[in-house]
Structures are given as structure tokens and as C-alpha cells.
Amino acid sequence: MQVFHHVASLRQALNTVRSTGKTIGFVPTMGNLHDAHIELINIARQHCDLVVVSIFVNRLQFSLNEDWDIYPRTMQQDMARLREANCNYLFHPDENEIYPNGMDEQTRVICPAMSDVLCGASRPGHFEGVTTVVAKLFNIVQPHKAVFGIKDFQQLALIRRMVEDLCIPLEIIPAPVHREADGLAMSSRNGYLTPQERTKAAVLNQVLNWARTQIKQGRRDFAALEQEATTKIEQTGFKVDYFSICHSSNLQPAACDDSAITLLGAMYTSRARLIDNVSLKL
């Protein structure tokens, strides 16, 4: 695995790769890698000749009271995992390399569609930070394909829209949610859970699946379903940020005759905010 810290040297290496006709897959991450990240790399390898992974904890997507300063940074372990996964190139820039003119004067990429609902409502400016850094990384790596997890469903939808709107010539490949044995979606923030919280954290996925079953069985009183689901989660001791039943393509509240529906939920533990989702077609 070759490691790069600078845009110019990575571009030079990837230009050489492109000249041989090989395809480049890309997996952007913030590090603290777990099995779900490795699965993204495996999917990228299935579709492309070689894989580039980036590790950059992007301060621009963290709100003032969020966990940027304590977000887990585990570079040595991450590099060992990447080597085991046969990653070809690691791009690990510092903040000055990504934002050479400072973040205050950084040109922003704003995707107004779907950015102010769900996680966007709870985390103002978050998705502006995501789309800005992902657009920069796409321009730096210029991959043929990029892999993003469905767990971050809203993020995936926004990045797809950004790629379409900005005519970026790459394919976005969605990766299924990678889960623990009890159904909890894998996340770097799962490490914030206390042992007691960990025994109950799968409730979010369980309630999402319960609500999906209710819809499959014919229920269309979505507002009532959302309230019942919220109550079920709160009864386990977690605070619900949102539980929403949405149209899969635009994340607007689902109508009773929609055929593609996604149920999305977010809840707070003592130190973490966990998200998950499930989809269905009627």
C-alpha cells in the first residue's frame, strides 16, 4: 500500500495508473476503520482494478458542540487494516492540504435538496461540510467509481444528487448496511456506548423493522406509526432525534400511495447519536 499526504503526488501516481487503462475505485472515510469500512473496500475492489481510500476527519462537517476534537483517530490500526484489505493507495492529508486557504474562505458546495431535513435539521451545516469535502476528494482522486454505505442514507442521496447536478463523471455504488450480530449498524461512534447502552442499542433497528412490517401488512397511518415507534425507542431509555417514514428518492414525508419507502431513525445515547434506516417497495 502506498501512502500519500499531498494532492500533487497522489494525482501524479493516479495519472500513471489511468494511462494504463486501469479503473480506480474510491472509498472516502474519516478513519477509525471497522468491518463496514472494509466491506466498502471489498465492494470497490469487485468493481475496479485498484482502490484508493482517504482518511480525513473533516472539521467542516462538525457543528460547534459536536465531537470533532475527540473523534477517534486510530491511524496505526487503520493502516494495518487497510494493508490486510489490499488497499492500493491511502490518501491521508492534513487540514492545510484540503483547505489551503482556510475553512472560513473555502468555496462551499451546497446541495439544497434534502439537506435541511432529518439529520440536516439536527446538524446545521453538516451536509454542506460533507458535500464540500467529498466534491474536493472527487476532484483530487478522479475515480471511476466511489462506494458509500446505505447506513448514511441521506448522505448517499445528497452525494448522488451532487454528482448529477455537477456532472461529475463517476458512478456511485451503494453498499448495504453492515451490522453487528444483534442488528446494530456498525459505526465509529458505537465505541462511545456504555456497556449498558450497548445491550439496548439495537432497539433502533428493531423498531425500524417493526414499523416496516406494519407497513407491509397494510398500515398507512404513517404519523401514528412514527409516534408509536418513537415511544418504543424512548421506553428503552434513549432520546429520539427523529423517526420518519419518507419517500425513498426525495426524503419527503411518504404518501399512502408511494411505492418506494424508506424509514429513517436517529437517537441519542449518553455520548453518541446513532442513525439507521430500512427500505421497502410496495
Side-chain angles (χ1 to χ4, degrees):
M1 181 178 71
Q2 298 183 45
V3 181
F4 296 86
H5 298 295
H6 301 288
V7 171
S9 55
L10 176 66
R11 277 180 168 164
Q12 183 177 10
L14 293 179
N15 283 339
T16 300
V17 168
R18 271 187 219 92
S19 69
T20 67
K22 292 183 178 179
T23 55
I24 299 168
F26 180 45
V27 179
T29 81
M30 293 204 301
N32 193 223
L33 304 181
H34 47 70
D35 288 349
H37 292 112
I38 303 306
E39 186 58 25
L40 300 183
I41 296 168
N42 293 337
I43 291 171
R45 182 169 295 286
Q46 292 167 13
H47 288 83
C48 296
D49 295 316
L50 56 88
V51 179
V52 179
V53 173
S54 64
I55 294 179
F56 177 64
V57 184
N58 177 37
R59 185 155 55 102
L60 194 62
Q61 70 191 64
F62 288 77
S63 298
L64 287 177
N65 296 320
E66 291 188 329
D67 57 343
W68 178 82
D69 55 339
I70 62 169
Y71 191 86
R73 292 160 171 84
T74 55
M75 196 60 199
Q76 294 305 311
Q77 298 95 309
D78 290 348
M79 291 179 66
R81 296 210 67 172
L82 290 174
R83 290 191 180 98
E84 291 175 3
N86 295 315
C87 171
N88 301 99
Y89 298 92
L90 168 62
F91 181 46
H92 179 47
D94 64 18
E95 191 170 279
N96 289 331
E97 188 72 12
I98 295 296
Y99 301 116
N101 297 312
M103 290 198 302
D104 290 342
E105 297 185 0
Q106 167 64 40
T107 298
R108 309 296 176 99
V109 177
I110 300 171
C111 184
M114 302 175 286
S115 64
D116 59 353
V117 297
L118 305 173
C119 288
S122 305
R123 307 178 68 188
H126 167 68
F127 286 119
E128 179 180 318
V130 170
T131 48
T132 297
V133 77
V134 171
K136 290 176 72 75
L137 290 169
F138 284 168
N139 283 330
I140 293 166
V141 177
Q142 297 179 23
H144 297 87
K145 302 182 181 185
V147 185
F148 289 84
I150 292 175
K151 189 205 80 170
D152 297 287
F153 191 92
Q154 187 175 9
Q155 173 181 277
L156 173 61
L158 282 162
I159 289 171
R160 280 173 157 164
R161 180 62 180 269
M162 178 187 74
V163 166
E164 178 183 358
D165 286 351
L166 299 183
C167 303
I168 301 175
L170 67 85
E171 178 185 352
I172 301 297
I173 300 174
V177 182
H178 205 73
R179 299 187 180 280
E180 304 285 358
D182 63 353
L184 176 66
M186 287 191 179
S187 169
S188 296
R189 289 185 170 92
N190 290 351
Y192 294 158
L193 298 173
T194 67
Q196 183 181 14
E197 288 172 338
R198 179 61 190 86
T199 64
K200 303 183 293 182
V203 66
L204 180 56
N205 178 246
Q206 293 163 2
V207 174
L208 283 163
N209 283 313
W210 167 81
R212 177 171 60 179
T213 299
Q214 294 292 302
I215 295 171
K216 283 183 176 180
Q217 293 175 349
R219 286 191 63 176
R220 296 294 182 271
D221 52 338
F222 294 149
L225 261 178
E226 290 171 350
Q227 185 55 56
E228 290 175 38
T230 297
T231 299
K232 286 178 179 290
I233 295 169
E234 289 176 341
Q235 286 173 344
T236 65
F238 297 115
K239 178 185 176 182
V240 174
D241 182 3
Y242 63 79
F243 192 101
S244 299
I245 301 171
C246 301
H247 189 287
S248 297
S249 64
N250 58 25
L251 299 185
Q252 293 300 305
C256 62
D257 56 352
D258 282 341
S259 59
I261 293 175
T262 297
L263 298 81
L264 304 100
M267 71 181 191
Y268 293 100
T269 69
S270 59
R271 295 183 58 215
R273 180 179 175 277
L274 305 183
I275 62 173
D276 202 350
N277 67 85
V278 297
S279 296
L280 72 158
K281 289 188 179 297
L282 300 174

